């Protein structure tokens, strides 16, 4: 653990000192980097990048577990394994290493030096940001792994002890409250303005405070299984101080340019969206699942297609008339990925730059799309036919809805429905859907006149028709409708997996959801998730096994057992 920690700090300093045009141009002397050179604003920018990357990589793996997407890989593979709930062998054990390393190395390794410099300056808003980063980062860790080093983490202890989930959860809430207090303080004269290093909110302290309250509402709502701790009025009070409109949301925009600017830790481009990096830019091919496609094309079993479907499901143009056709979803409830010829990975022809071979007569369109960082990929044929439309959340310039108003509407709808206020719950539910349409349209409008249907705004006529016919009324509102619409709104977010676990993967809530067929048909999968249990957490990072194994074994009776995946994290245990 000591070696990994020291190695991580040196790596994170390399990340903090790399020159990346005006985005991460923070060198004082690029030929002689030291951990004292970066200013508070430079470190803040680097940490924001790493924290967002932590959320993005976590969401990538949870989206596989949830059956939002599926890769072409199968079996004992770090990507195919989560999709079919199979975690035998070494590769799936390294799944947790990605978010772990990015948080503890790229983000956490910079915390202390940023705090030291901010305290010297009286830069309270930078101190507040570190409190927020710690809170949201450790909460992601405990959501993903359960027990974690927390109290002794990121300090002088070489082999930090583990804390239980309740300690981490309460500690993160406390740090969030401390961040809010610090954001409300006036910085000392001469302290570096927050705006100088803040790539998320442009130094708008009020947006940071609202973001903190948004996360507080999310986390308090995650206690829904804890009858003594779940307090609806506290959640509503937090929502009252959280973003109340799309304009107050924390939406992080990305850019499709500067392919040669990459971070030295992972070799990924620094300006593109993390969904694009993980789902498109790397050498894997992903498809959406049938369950996810059905949310958008047959919500509530009414056979009504959501206008968002043509922006969230990949499209291809077919026939002489170049008709737009939605991708089929891969039905994870069947043997389609097992039977030869049923689900054949699309083939990429390097000579033509085109994808060929629609498998088994189905219209599977991958999430691939062309970008500056993946310029060899051909998404439009020579005659102008669109071969892959891309999707809203997975383009190089896709936005990250880090803490957006639509999510908060659905939290409010859930809370009010639990309180018996169906009318208020429906209004919040409908507002969440409508605001998501508006949020998407604001981004889509930036593409201007475009021949790609997936990049065009939705018409108000289509939006109104959907809101008036597909989503139901206050009288027939159910928790299932709220959670399925929330799932659509959240895009690639690990909170979707939190919600699925809170509701125990209930198909009465998440209509039509089933465990993947490959899990049900494979005995090796059941070593990790035995019959009658569900996937509840991920196994710890390989670094904890290698460098902190004694404390890891003490953290949970099944910490190093094959079936640790089936044990709920603290907030997921009913009381």
């Amino acid at each position: 653990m000591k070696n990994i920690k020291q190695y991580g700090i040196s790596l994170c300093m390399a990340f903090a000192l790399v020159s990346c045009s005006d985005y991460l141009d923070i060198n004082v002397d690029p030929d002689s980097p030291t951990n004292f050179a970066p200013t508070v604003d430079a470190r803040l920018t680097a940490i924001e990048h790493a924290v967002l990357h932590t959320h993005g990589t976590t969401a990538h793996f949870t989206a596989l577990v949830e059956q939002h997407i599926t890769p072409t890989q199968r079996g004992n593979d770090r990507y195919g394994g989560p999709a079919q709930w199979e975690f035998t062998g070494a590769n799936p054990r390294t799944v947790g290493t990605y978010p772990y390393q990015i948080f503890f190395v790229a983000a956490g390794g910079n915390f202390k030096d940023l705090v030291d410099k901010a305290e010297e300056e009286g830069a309270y808003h930078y101190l507040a940001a570190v409190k927020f980063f710690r809170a949201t980062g450790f909460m992601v860790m405990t959501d993903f792994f359960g027990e974690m080093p927390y109290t002794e983490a990121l300090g002088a202890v070489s082999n930090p002890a583990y804390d239980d989930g309740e300690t981490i959860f309460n500690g993160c809430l406390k740090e969030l409250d401390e961040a809010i207090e610090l954001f409300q303080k006036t910085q000392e004269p001469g302290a570096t303005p927050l705006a100088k290093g803040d790539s998320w909110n442009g130094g708008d302290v009020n947006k940071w405070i609202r973001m903190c309250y948004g996360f507080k509402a999310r986390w308090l709502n995650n206690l829904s299984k804890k009858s003594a701790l779940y307090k609806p009025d506290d959640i509503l009070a937090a929502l009252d101080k959280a973003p109340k409109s799309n304009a107050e949301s924390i939406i992080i925009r990305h850019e499709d340019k500067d392919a040669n600017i990459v971070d030295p830790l992972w070799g990924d481009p620094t300006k593109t969206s993390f969904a694009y990096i993980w789902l498109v830019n790397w050498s894997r091919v992903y498809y959406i699942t049938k369950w996810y496609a059905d949310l958008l094309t047959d919500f509530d079993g009414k056979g009504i297609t959501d206008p968002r479907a043509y922006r969230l499901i990949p499209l291809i143009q077919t026939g002489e008339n170049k008709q737009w056709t939605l991708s089929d979803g891969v039905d994870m409830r069947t043997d389609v990925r097992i039977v030869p010829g049923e689900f054949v990975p699309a083939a990429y022809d390097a000579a033509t730059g085109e994808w060929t071979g629609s498998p088994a007569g189905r219209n599977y369109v991958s999430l691939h799309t062309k970008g500056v960082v993946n310029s060899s990929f051909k998404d439009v044929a020579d005659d102008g036919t669109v071969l892959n439309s891309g999707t809203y959340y997975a383009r190089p310039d896709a936005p990250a809805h880090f803490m957006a108003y639509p999510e908060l509407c659905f939290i409010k709808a859930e809370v009010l429905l639990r309180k018996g206020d169906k009318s208020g719950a429906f209004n919040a539910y409908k507002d969440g859907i409508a605001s998501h349409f508006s949020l998407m349209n604001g981004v889509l409008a930036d593409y201007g006149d475009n021949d790609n249907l997936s990049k065009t705004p939705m018409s108000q006529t289509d939006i109104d028709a959907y809101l008036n016919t597909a989503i139901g009324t206050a009288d027939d509102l159910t928790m299932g409708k709220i959670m399925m619409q929330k799932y659509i709104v959240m895009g690639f977010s690990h909170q979707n997996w939190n919600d699925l676990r809170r509701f125990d993967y209930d198909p009465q809530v998440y209509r039509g959801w089933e465990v993947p067929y490959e899990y049900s048909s494979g005995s090796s999968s059941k070593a990790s998730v035995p019959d009658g249990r569900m996937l509840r957490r991920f196994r710890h990072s390989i670094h904890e096994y290698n460098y902190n194994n004694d404390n890891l074994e003490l953290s949970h009776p099944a910490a190093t057992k094959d079936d640790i995946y089936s044990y709920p994290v603290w907030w997921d245990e009913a009381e």
Side-chain angles (χ1 to χ4, degrees), residues 465-481:
Y466 182 79
L467 293 174
N468 291 331
T469 60
I471 70 171
T473 66
D475 290 337
D476 61 18
L477 181 65
T478 64
M479 191 66 78
K481 291 181 181 180

Side-chain angles (χ1 to χ4, degrees), residues 192-235:
T192 305
L194 183 62
K196 192 173 181 182
D198 181 11
S199 66
W200 286 1
N201 297 314
D204 187 336
V205 172
N206 289 328
K207 288 194 75 170
W208 277 91
I209 292 172
R210 288 194 177 279
M211 176 169 64
C212 289
Y213 278 110
F215 275 94
K216 187 172 186 176
R218 176 194 285 184
W219 298 345
L220 291 175
N221 197 46
N222 283 347
L223 295 176
S224 58
K225 286 186 174 181
K226 304 289 188 183
S227 56
L229 299 177
Y230 187 75
K231 299 179 179 179
D233 290 340
D234 287 354
I235 300 169

Side-chain angles (χ1 to χ4, degrees), residues 265-278:
L265 284 177
W266 324 113
D268 293 327
T270 59
K271 295 190 176 184
T272 56
S273 76
F274 292 117
Y276 180 80
I277 289 170
W278 285 95

Side-chain angles (χ1 to χ4, degrees), residues 276 281 348-355 368-380:
Y276 180 80
N281 191 47
Y348 181 67
D349 188 331
T352 63
E354 296 183 8
W355 292 89
H368 271 79
T369 188
K370 185 176 181 178
V372 171
V373 296
N374 201 330
S375 58
S376 64
F377 175 71
K378 189 172 184 179
D379 55 3
V380 179

Side-chain angles (χ1 to χ4, degrees), residues 61-282:
F61 291 113
T62 60
L64 294 169
V65 167
E66 302 155 14
Q67 297 182 36
H68 183 165
I69 55 173
T70 191
T72 54
Q73 290 102 318
R74 290 194 60 249
N76 184 21
D77 175 272
R78 70 184 63 177
Y79 310 107
Q84 62 194 59
W85 289 25
E86 183 172 342
F87 298 97
T88 55
N91 276 340
R93 295 187 188 185
T94 64
V95 167
T97 301
Y98 286 96
Y100 173 98
Q101 286 187 157
I102 294 166
F103 175 63
F104 282 106
V105 176
N110 274 302
F111 289 167
K112 184 181 185 303
D113 287 324
L114 176 53
V115 168
D116 289 345
K117 286 182 176 290
E119 286 179 340
E120 288 176 11
E121 295 185 15
Y124 303 121
H125 298 162
Y126 286 86
L127 295 173
V130 173
K131 290 285 187 181
F132 171 81
F133 296 141
R134 280 182 53 89
T136 187
F138 277 108
M139 191 66 84
V140 170
M141 294 295 103
T142 194
D143 286 346
F144 202 70
F145 298 115
E147 302 75 31
M148 281 290 302
Y150 171 65
T151 305
E152 294 183 353
L154 294 173
V157 179
S158 299
N159 301 92
Y162 277 59
D163 292 283
D164 60 33
E166 184 174 9
T167 299
I168 300 169
F169 189 97
N170 290 331
C172 291
L173 278 175
K174 181 174 182 290
E175 291 196 82
L176 206 58
D177 286 337
E178 291 169 349
I180 292 169
E181 290 181 11
L182 285 165
F183 276 125
Q184 292 173 333
K185 292 186 69 171
T186 300
Q187 296 205 127
E188 296 297 330
T192 305
L194 183 62
K196 192 173 181 182
D198 181 11
S199 66
W200 286 1
N201 297 314
D204 187 336
V205 172
N206 289 328
K207 288 194 75 170
W208 277 91
I209 292 172
R210 288 194 177 279
M211 176 169 64
C212 289
Y213 278 110
F215 275 94
K216 187 172 186 176
R218 176 194 285 184
W219 298 345
L220 291 175
N221 197 46
N222 283 347
L223 295 176
S224 58
K225 286 186 174 181
K226 304 289 188 183
S227 56
L229 299 177
Y230 187 75
K231 299 179 179 179
D233 290 340
D234 287 354
I235 300 169
L236 294 175
L239 288 172
D240 192 51
K241 297 179 180 180
K244 292 186 176 181
S245 68
N246 286 340
E248 293 180 345
S249 298
I250 288 71
I251 309 296
I252 301 164
R253 299 297 298 267
H254 297 97
E255 299 176 348
D256 182 20
K257 64 181 183 182
D258 297 326
N260 61 322
I261 299 176
V262 298
D263 72 60
L265 284 177
W266 324 113
D268 293 327
T270 59
K271 295 190 176 184
T272 56
S273 76
F274 292 117
Y276 180 80
I277 289 170
W278 285 95
L279 302 178
V280 179
N281 191 47
W282 282 39

Side-chain angles (χ1 to χ4, degrees), residues 15 43-52 106-107 110-111 114 133:
F15 174 65
R43 286 189 190 275
L44 181 67
T45 306
I47 295 171
E48 286 178 334
H49 178 81
V51 168
L52 188 60
N110 274 302
F111 289 167
L114 176 53
F133 296 141

Side-chain angles (χ1 to χ4, degrees), residues 1 93 100 145-149 159-163 537-561 564:
M1 186 68 177
R93 295 187 188 185
Y100 173 98
F145 298 115
E147 302 75 31
M148 281 290 302
N159 301 92
Y162 277 59
D163 292 283
R537 69 165 78 193
F538 276 84
R539 200 164 194 160
H540 254 292
S541 163
I542 197 69
H543 298 319
E544 290 294 316
Y545 281 87
N546 290 340
Y547 298 98
N548 201 22
N549 193 66
D550 288 346
N551 284 319
L552 171 61
E553 289 186 341
L554 291 171
S555 69
H556 189 283
T560 58
K561 308 293 186 184
I564 185 61

